[in-house]
Amino acid sequence: ETGVTQTPRHLVMGMTNKKSLKCEQHLGHNAMYWYKQSAKKPLELMFVYSLEERVENNSVPSRFSPECPNSSHLFLHLHTLQPEDSALYLCASSQNAGPNTGELFFGEGSRLTVL
Amino acid sequence: QKEVEQNSGPLSVPEGAIASLNCTYSDRGSQSFFWYRQYSGKSPELIMFIYSNGDKEDGRFTAQLNKASQYVSLLIRDSQPSDSATYLCAVKAGGYNKLIFGAGTRLAVHP
């Protein structure tokens, strides 16, 4: 298994649908992140989990709901999204201690299209 | 609002030349700085980090940091077509590896 895997890779949903994005890391890291990447815009940090506890929530609308059941898995539950939520959603993991703090390992992303 | 600014490019350089990528940041208290590379359709990957003023070299890559000017740069020597990608500058903005990213500079290396 590669380091950080995300499913599904592509998702098309209507504004009334409910779906979930899944992320799994096989690196033994203790922190996981959701980032949103829109065209021509910087990566936007959405949520941070450290040791399965949410430590950062960057004013993300409630239609995005994260879940971290253990240190290897992270979900992003989606409901009643808007077309402007269409973007690439990237999951990342890291080790919060040691000499290489700041190194995020990203998954390949889930490309979301909201119709 | 902490910000990281980069020229979006594209920066076009001939093969074998030096590519110079620049980044400025707004938070004077920032201590850690990172360069990520993102190929089209792929996820970002870390290529360099720098904590201290001055230069840090790793193979063909050199990161330069000037905290007084709030400026970080990445030099790529002997540029290759395989270096063509978007380069993201990131600044650590607190604990838990919270990184603030710039929008990236697209580099195109032509044969």
Side-chain angles (χ1 to χ4, degrees):
Chain A
E1 287 285 359
T2 55
V4 181
T5 56
Q6 291 187 241
T7 55
R9 294 292 310 278
H10 300 274
L11 178 62
V12 179
M13 58 187 289
M15 290 191 285
T16 59
N17 292 158
K18 288 185 181 181
K19 298 286 185 182
S20 295
L21 306 181
K22 178 183 175 182
C23 176
E24 183 173 2
Q25 60 98 359
H26 307 274
L27 300 169
H29 290 162
N30 58 13
M32 297 187 77
Y33 311 75
W34 280 116
Y35 277 88
K36 176 184 178 182
Q37 187 172 37
S38 304
K40 307 294 186 187
K41 294 176 69 175
L43 279 165
E44 299 173 52
L45 178 63
M46 300 175 72
F47 301 104
V48 180
Y49 277 83
S50 178
L51 298 173
E52 301 145 47
E53 179 182 346
R54 190 191 310 180
V55 295
E56 185 85 25
N57 176 351
N58 264 9
S59 302
V60 179
S62 59
R63 57 185 183 269
F64 295 91
S65 175
E67 178 189 2
C68 187
N70 55 61
S71 61
S72 298
H73 293 86
L74 184 65
F75 295 89
L76 188 62
H77 303 300
L78 316 169
H79 63 97
T80 59
L81 295 190
Q82 304 298 310
E84 61 264 28
D85 296 322
S86 298
L88 181 67
Y89 289 85
L90 289 163
C91 174
S93 70
S94 74
Q95 192 63 27
N96 279 343
N100 290 332
T101 56
E103 182 168 12
L104 300 179
F105 291 80
F106 286 90
E108 292 294 324
S110 294
R111 172 73 61 185
L112 173 66
T113 302
V114 181
L115 302 177
Chain B
Q1 179 78 7
K2 299 174 182 175
E3 293 184 346
V4 177
E5 299 287 341
Q6 295 181 258
N7 188 322
S8 61
L11 174 65
S12 182
V13 300
E15 185 173 357
I18 295 176
S20 178
L21 304 160
N22 305 314
C23 170
T24 59
Y25 59 95
S26 63
D27 183 5
R28 186 169 288 278
S30 299
Q31 295 294 319
S32 307
F33 308 87
F34 305 86
W35 284 99
Y36 282 77
R37 177 177 62 200
Q38 186 173 25
Y39 290 113
S40 180
K42 299 293 186 181
S43 56
E45 58 179 339
L46 181 70
I47 52 172
M48 290 283 291
F49 62 87
I50 186 167
Y51 302 147
S52 303
N53 272 331
D55 295 359
K56 179 181 179 182
E57 186 174 320
D58 184 1
R60 295 187 296 113
F61 298 95
T62 298
Q64 299 176 316
L65 173 61
N66 183 327
K67 290 185 179 179
S69 300
Q70 296 177 235
Y71 178 91
V72 192
S73 64
L74 179 70
L75 301 178
I76 306 175
R77 290 182 300 281
D78 189 23
S79 296
Q80 302 297 309
S82 58
D83 295 325
S84 299
T86 297
Y87 290 81
L88 307 175
C89 175
V91 176
K92 191 170 180 181
Y96 309 110
N97 290 337
K98 177 181 176 180
L99 299 186
I100 306 299
F101 284 85
T105 298
R106 188 160 63 89
L107 173 66
V109 181
H110 54 85

